[in-house]
Every structure is written in structure tokens, then in C-alpha cells.
Amino acid sequence: MSTTEELLQDVVIKFAGDSGDGMQLTGSQFTNSTALLGIDLATFPDFPAEIRAPIGTLPGVSGFQLRFSSDRVFTPGDECDVLVAMNAAALKVNLKSLKKGGRIIANTDGFDAKNLRLANYPDGVNPLEDNSLTNYDLIKIDVTKLTREALKDFEMGTKEKDRAKNMFVLGFLYWMYGRNMDNTIDFLREKFGKKDTILQSNIRALQAGFNYADTTETFTTRYRVEKARMPAGTYRSIMGNQALSYGLIAAAKKSGLQMFLGTYPITPASDILHELSKHKSFGIKTFQAEDEIAAITSAIGASYGGLLGVTTTSGPGMALKTEAMGLAVMLEIPLIIINIQRGGPSTGLPTKTEQSDLLQAYYGRNGECPMPVIAASTPSDCFEAIYEAVRVSVQHMTPIIFLSDGYIANGAEPWKFPSADELQEIAVSFKTELGAYEEKFMPYWRDEKLVRPWAVPGTPGLEHRVGGLEKQNITGNISYDPDNHQLMVKIREEKVDKIANYIPEQKLDSGPEKGKVLVLGWGSTFGAIKSAVAELQEQGVEVSHAHLRYLRPFPRNLGEIIRNFDHVLIPEINNGQLIKIIRDKYLVDAKGYNKIMGIPITKGELVEAIKKIAKDEL
């Protein structure tokens, strides 16, 4: 049988099945094999919101979307070209996101009467058989049966054999898109090296899927996407929480500080603890506390003791940490507070993404309690953004809030990683002796940045008191004096505001410096905004894009940029938070585009919103 090869520029695949079908693993392995070929990519893992939703039901569907292209990509795609549906529920949940004429690879065993009933199809209705999918290229494969057949020689139960279904599908797709199985086989050996039966069964299923596609006469076309034209360098595929972890390690080494992570597990931040706990060789100390309060206060203690204190959480954990955040502000010590945002309020949508904690980061503490805020925009940007957050925190003696979200944390993209000598130095100085101006230590004596000295407990002659009660200016003694309290509130605010003099000015990502429309974004809306703006610029629409890393304080030239445009559009995955701050600070009639569905904003949605504002329709 002869096969032909078709060259494609851009492909979007969605892997979807029950939460036990291994779709996340399948997607991540296909991602890794794609990255090794130098093809640009972006991913969007979509986890079920319920921990143990009933098998075969709509709430239990797990998905992994991957876009790969020979051009630069910045989003995982608005619609899919290929949908892998392991059961009826997976098809029902994801069919709306498949392009007309797109390909469906369906596991027919997942469309039996039981699965159809669990997916809420009417009695007697099977979408694989009733011609309702005639607008799609439907490929029906009994993946379950073929996997069991491939593993018939293994002394395993049927349930154990069925767990290898995802490897069969992966092998099939490796053939279709010209991938090599070696990297996945190496991964399986590392993961299951001590469980030979599981290892060999997964390898056999992977090879069986590849061979099935290769030998079945139905499949005569393979597809190839060429290597992307990207800046020269060494790349790897990286997820946001991985990049964040590596950025913390790099910042600790460059600053000469030992890092201490005090944390409590919470979705979607837990992977940072998992990753950092692997790197004790870099002097990283990790502590899984009994609750969120113990987590942050242990990190405060570490910072007071001269370490780089870090704590990680999501929105509900931020709520519990707020009193201790106020303590860190009062103490004026470095502290890295990382919030991987998710849908809320309360428990909300634990596995779904949202940008809804910005106002909490700005104002969510008692009293006047200012802290700088920095946000990452993509998975790989987490490395540079957290590195910068550490620099700001230790050089300005302030706790800082770092914002990411579930979309960034679990998404992946190629990362051109830097060498150690390319990283900016993070200068840290501890006070070791009394100054000429002191008869005894003055812990709140400030420099030109309004930064107080960092004195490690136990340093002779530098003994000093810390606590949550208001401090007297300069001496650090407890003070209830009203004039002093007002002075200290103003000083703490001004110290944060002065950080604007030590961060880069804001730059436009694309577009003219003056014009009709500025799309102003922050966080994970970056890819959708960049893609939408690029498409409209090609159509001749007068639109520019600026994306904020520094959210508090803003870059000192941001107001000037905003005033250069007739209209400002602020897309957010919330009900309008940055827009409130921008309107308040710059007195501009900015317009919002808001999506609060637990999923990212798409390029297509933004294209239409920008067109409307460009025509003065909003």
C-alpha cells in the first residue's frame, strides 16, 4: 500500500476522553515529540472540575488541546482540526469546537448503549451511526478491542489492558503526523522502569497503534508540518509552573540567597511544590505546611532570617493568607507571594482559568497595605517575570504578589532558555554593622528608595523588634501616635510607588505609537490579543497592543501611551478589574471585553470586539 504526504502549515488537535483515559499524558507526549522537531506550539489542558466525576459523564470529560505550526503561534487555537473522542461524552462536549469538515477519530467502544446514556443522548441515538456527523471526516476505530488484541499475550486483567488505550491512539497519531516513537518509549521506561509488565504493555500498545495506521488500507495520507522559523537558540517545551519554578531557582542562585518555599497544596499551584522539591541540589528547601496560614508565616520567618521566602497558592489560599501579608508589609521584608488564579469565588472552578484576583492583589487586605504586583503573560514568560519579581522584592524590601493563572500554569510552549551568564545580577546587601549615623540600630532608617536595611537576626549590635503593631519611624519601636501612623502609611505607599523609577518603561508589543485603538492587556490574554491585533493590522485596521507585566506600580510612561489613542480596549478573563484601576488612575473611558467561563478568550472573539471599537460602535 502506498501513502502520500500532505504538507500542512497549522494543525489543532483536541484529545478528549474520560478523566481516566490518560488524555493529559497523551497530549503532553505528542507535545514533546512535536517540540523536538522544532515546530512552534501552544497547548491548553482542560481538566474536569470534579475530582471523581462518574465515568462516562459530561462533567468527567478531560481534554488537551494542542496547536502546532510552521509559523509562530501564540494561542492553542480557536477551533480544532482534529478531535480524538474516546467516548460519547467527549464528543458531545467538544464537537462545538471542531471546524466544519474537521476530522473525528472516535473510539467506537466508547459509544455503546451505556456510554450514550451517560452522555445524555436520547434512547436509540448514536451520533456515529445516524448521519449527524456527515459534515465531518469521521474515522471510527475500536480502540479498546484493538488494544486488548495487541496485549493478548500479557497476563493482565482487562481493566489494566484498557489503561493502554491512550498509547494506541498516540501511536496512531504519530504515524499520521510523522512522529518518532523513541522519545515516548524513553519516557515510559523512565516512568515504569520498575514495573516491567506495565512498561512493555504500554510500548506494545503504542507500536500497535502506529502499525495499525501503517498497515490498514483506509489510511493513505500522512501529514507534515515543517519546522517553525524561530530565533536561533536551544529550545525546550515548558509549562508555566515549570518555568516559574526554574525562575525562582535561578533568582535564588543569582542573588546568593537560599530559597525556602512554605506552601499548602492547592489547584493549580501544587505543581510548583512538586517541581521545586526535586531540586534540593540547588539548596532549595520546601515545606508542605498544615494550612495556608502556616505556609505564609513560615516563609515570613525564613525571609526575616535572611532567606528568600516564597509561598504559593490560588485565590482561596490568598484569602487565608491576607493577615500574614499585612504582617509582611508592616515588617517590610522581602517575600514572594505567588497566586495561580482559578475561577471563583469560594471553591469556584478549581480546574478552570480566570484572571479574577487582580483587585484582591491590589486591595484585598485590611488597612492601607500596598504591595507591588507583577503578572506573567505566557508559560515561558513565567521564568523572566518571577525572576524580576524576586529582584524587585529583595532590592526594595517589600513583599510582592506574582500573578499567573491555570491557563498559563498548565499550558506549554517552546522556550529558548538563557544561559546563567545572560541573567541579570540580583544584588542583595545585608546590614552587618552600625552606620555612622547610629548610636544603636535604627531598623527603619531608609535610603533614597525609602528601603530599610535587611539585618539578619543574631548579627551583633543589630538586635531589633518585629511585629504587626505600627512602628515608629526610624527607630522601629511600637507607636500609637496618630501623626506617626499617617507618616508611616504614606511612606509605605511612596516606597511602592518609587519602584516605578527602577522598572522599564512600557513598550508597545505592536502597532503605531499613536492611533485609533489601543488594546491593553495583562496576563494570559497576551496570545489572543497579539494574534487578533496582528490579523487586523494586516487588514489595515489602525490598532496597537500593549501588555502589562508591572501592574503595581504601573510603568511611569503608561499614562502617556494611553493618551495617544482615541479608544482603549481592555480584554480580561474576569468581570472587569484592570479596567477599574486604569479608569481610576488615568481618567480614561476605557472599554472592556470580559469572558468569565473558565476558558480563555479566543482570537476570533477579540477580532470582532476590536472591529466594533474601531468603528466607534462600543
Side-chain angles (χ1 to χ4, degrees):
M1 180 183 69
S2 62
T3 60
T4 59
E5 185 176 73
E6 183 178 334
L7 184 64
L8 300 176
Q9 181 175 319
D10 192 278
V11 178
V12 180
I13 299 178
K14 179 71 173 282
F15 301 90
D18 192 77
S19 56
D21 285 335
M23 292 296 95
Q24 304 302 324
L25 176 62
T26 305
S28 63
Q29 285 301 302
F30 197 97
T31 297
N32 291 341
S33 71
T34 300
L36 287 171
L37 297 176
I39 300 169
D40 200 12
L41 59 88
T43 71
F44 176 45
D46 186 16
F47 300 95
E50 298 186 27
I51 296 175
R52 294 192 181 276
I55 294 174
T57 62
L58 301 179
V61 173
S62 177
F64 188 104
Q65 186 164 312
L66 163 67
R67 180 184 182 190
F68 53 100
S69 176
S70 55
D71 290 330
R72 295 299 309 272
V73 298
F74 301 97
T75 74
D78 291 3
E79 294 181 304
C80 306
D81 301 294
V82 180
L83 172 61
V84 177
M86 297 298 288
N87 60 18
L91 177 68
K92 192 168 192 178
V93 168
N94 293 286
L95 186 60
K96 62 181 179 295
S97 65
L98 182 65
K99 293 177 181 176
K100 294 299 180 185
R103 174 170 292 158
I104 299 171
I105 300 173
N107 172 28
T108 56
D109 182 67
F111 289 80
D112 60 12
K114 180 180 178 182
N115 276 285
L116 290 166
R117 184 179 71 255
L118 290 169
N120 296 331
Y121 281 99
D123 290 343
V125 173
N126 186 338
L128 302 187
E129 309 294 343
D130 64 3
N131 296 320
S132 62
L133 301 176
T134 53
N135 291 328
Y136 303 96
D137 177 16
L138 177 61
I139 298 175
K140 297 187 286 187
I141 306 174
D142 195 336
V143 175
T144 304
K145 178 181 177 182
L146 291 168
T147 302
R148 291 174 183 174
E149 177 65 22
L151 303 182
K152 63 183 180 182
D153 297 333
F154 285 78
E155 293 184 1
M156 304 170 68
T158 301
K159 187 175 181 180
E160 285 71 28
K161 291 179 180 179
D162 288 350
R163 287 176 181 159
K165 295 196 303 284
N166 62 329
M167 287 295 109
F168 185 96
V169 171
L170 185 60
F172 177 86
L173 288 168
Y174 276 0
W175 180 90
M176 184 170 286
Y177 290 98
R179 299 289 187 270
N180 191 301
M181 292 183 285
D182 291 348
N183 184 65
T184 296
I185 291 173
D186 289 342
F187 165 80
L188 292 170
R189 284 177 176 149
E190 182 178 345
K191 185 175 180 65
F192 300 116
K194 297 180 180 179
K195 301 176 181 178
D196 191 62
T197 300
I198 297 175
L199 169 64
Q200 297 303 327
S201 64
N202 276 277
I203 293 175
R204 178 77 64 84
L206 179 73
Q207 294 169 335
F210 189 96
N211 294 333
Y212 172 77
D214 192 33
T215 58
T216 305
E217 294 184 2
T218 306
F219 312 113
T220 59
T221 304
R222 304 181 77 180
Y223 303 95
R224 178 168 60 89
V225 174
E226 291 186 331
K227 185 176 180 178
R229 294 174 289 277
M230 300 173 71
T234 305
Y235 288 80
R236 58 158 290 172
S237 175
I238 198 158
M239 298 168 66
N241 279 349
Q242 282 181 306
L244 193 157
S245 300
Y246 298 159
L248 284 170
I249 294 170
K253 299 304 288 185
K254 279 291 186 176
S255 64
L257 298 172
Q258 187 175 32
M259 196 187 91
F260 173 89
L261 172 68
T263 190
Y264 182 75
I266 185 172
T267 302
S270 300
D271 283 340
I272 302 170
L273 169 61
H274 300 159
E275 184 63 42
L276 288 174
S277 66
K278 302 175 185 176
H279 298 287
K280 294 181 176 63
S281 59
F282 289 107
I284 306 301
K285 294 184 181 295
T286 57
F287 168 55
Q288 181 175 319
E290 64 270 27
D291 56 41
E292 294 282 5
I293 298 170
I296 186 172
T297 50
S298 66
I300 288 173
S303 287
Y304 178 57
L307 277 63
L308 176 61
V310 181
T311 190
T312 59
T313 191
S314 189
M318 288 289 284
L320 292 167
K321 292 179 189 289
T322 52
E323 183 181 1
M325 288 186 213
L327 174 62
V329 168
M330 185 66 80
L331 302 182
E332 298 189 46
I333 59 173
L335 180 68
I336 316 300
I337 303 160
I338 296 169
N339 179 2
I340 313 297
Q341 300 164 96
R342 69 190 207 189
S346 186
T347 310
L349 304 174
T351 63
K352 307 301 180 182
T353 197
E354 211 163 87
Q355 290 182 293
S356 54
D357 296 347
L358 179 58
L359 293 180
Q360 180 190 45
Y362 252 76
Y363 306 118
R365 296 165 294 281
N366 67 295
E368 298 291 338
C369 193
M371 278 194 276
V373 181
I374 283 179
S377 57
T378 70
S380 63
D381 183 57
C382 285
F383 180 91
E384 291 185 9
I386 194 65
Y387 191 92
E388 175 66 354
V390 172
R391 184 193 71 81
V392 170
S393 181
V394 301
Q395 293 185 350
H396 294 268
M397 285 293 285
T398 176
I400 189 168
I401 294 176
F402 179 88
L403 296 177
S404 177
D405 61 40
Y407 179 33
I408 294 175
N410 296 313
E413 65 180 350
W415 176 43
K416 181 185 174 184
F417 54 87
S419 60
D421 58 5
E422 293 174 321
L423 296 175
Q424 177 186 0
E425 295 295 331
I426 300 177
V428 177
S429 62
F430 291 102
K431 187 174 178 66
T432 58
E433 58 185 13
L434 292 176
Y437 55 86
E438 295 174 304
E439 292 184 5
K440 66 176 182 178
F441 181 40
M442 299 296 178
Y444 284 81
W445 185 281
R446 302 174 187 276
D447 64 13
E448 69 280 0
K449 298 178 184 177
L450 298 182
V451 172
R452 82 174 190 87
W454 195 358
V456 176
T459 304
L462 302 185
E463 296 83 1
H464 60 290
R465 178 184 311 183
V466 297
L469 292 172
E470 182 61 278
K471 304 294 182 289
Q472 185 181 58
N473 187 33
I474 301 179
T475 69
N477 295 330
I478 294 172
S479 173
Y480 298 101
D481 179 74
D483 291 334
N484 178 78
H485 177 57
Q486 176 157 312
L487 174 65
M488 293 298 281
V489 167
K490 294 292 188 181
I491 287 175
R492 288 189 288 263
E493 180 77 28
E494 187 181 356
K495 184 178 79 166
V496 172
D497 291 343
K498 277 182 173 289
I499 294 172
N501 297 325
Y502 301 92
I503 60 176
E505 290 193 343
Q506 182 66 41
K507 295 181 179 179
L508 292 177
D509 185 78
S510 67
E513 294 182 0
K514 297 183 178 182
K516 183 83 170 177
V517 181
L518 172 68
V519 185
L520 180 64
W522 71 279
S524 61
T525 56
F526 174 80
I529 296 174
K530 187 176 182 69
S531 302
V533 167
E535 180 176 312
L536 290 170
Q537 287 170 346
E538 290 179 2
Q539 298 174 14
V541 178
E542 194 177 325
V543 58
S544 300
H545 172 205
H547 216 78
L548 295 171
R549 169 179 288 177
Y550 304 93
L551 293 165
R552 188 174 191 182
F554 290 124
R556 55 191 177 274
N557 66 326
L558 180 60
E560 178 184 346
I561 290 175
I562 288 173
R563 287 188 287 272
N564 284 336
F565 293 87
D566 298 336
H567 302 284
V568 177
L569 179 67
I570 302 180
E572 299 183 79
I573 311 175
N574 58 41
N575 203 31
Q577 298 196 11
L578 176 63
I579 192 171
K580 291 181 174 67
I581 302 167
I582 293 294
R583 285 172 172 170
D584 173 60
K585 185 170 181 64
Y586 299 110
L587 303 179
V588 60
D589 186 22
K591 300 295 190 296
Y593 182 83
N594 305 102
K595 184 174 183 178
I596 324 157
M597 301 180 181
I599 55 178
I601 295 172
T602 66
K603 179 188 79 171
E605 292 169 346
L606 276 187
V607 166
E608 294 305 312
I610 297 168
K611 282 182 177 178
K612 286 183 178 180
I613 198 171
K615 296 176 182 177
D616 297 318
E617 294 179 6
L618 286 182

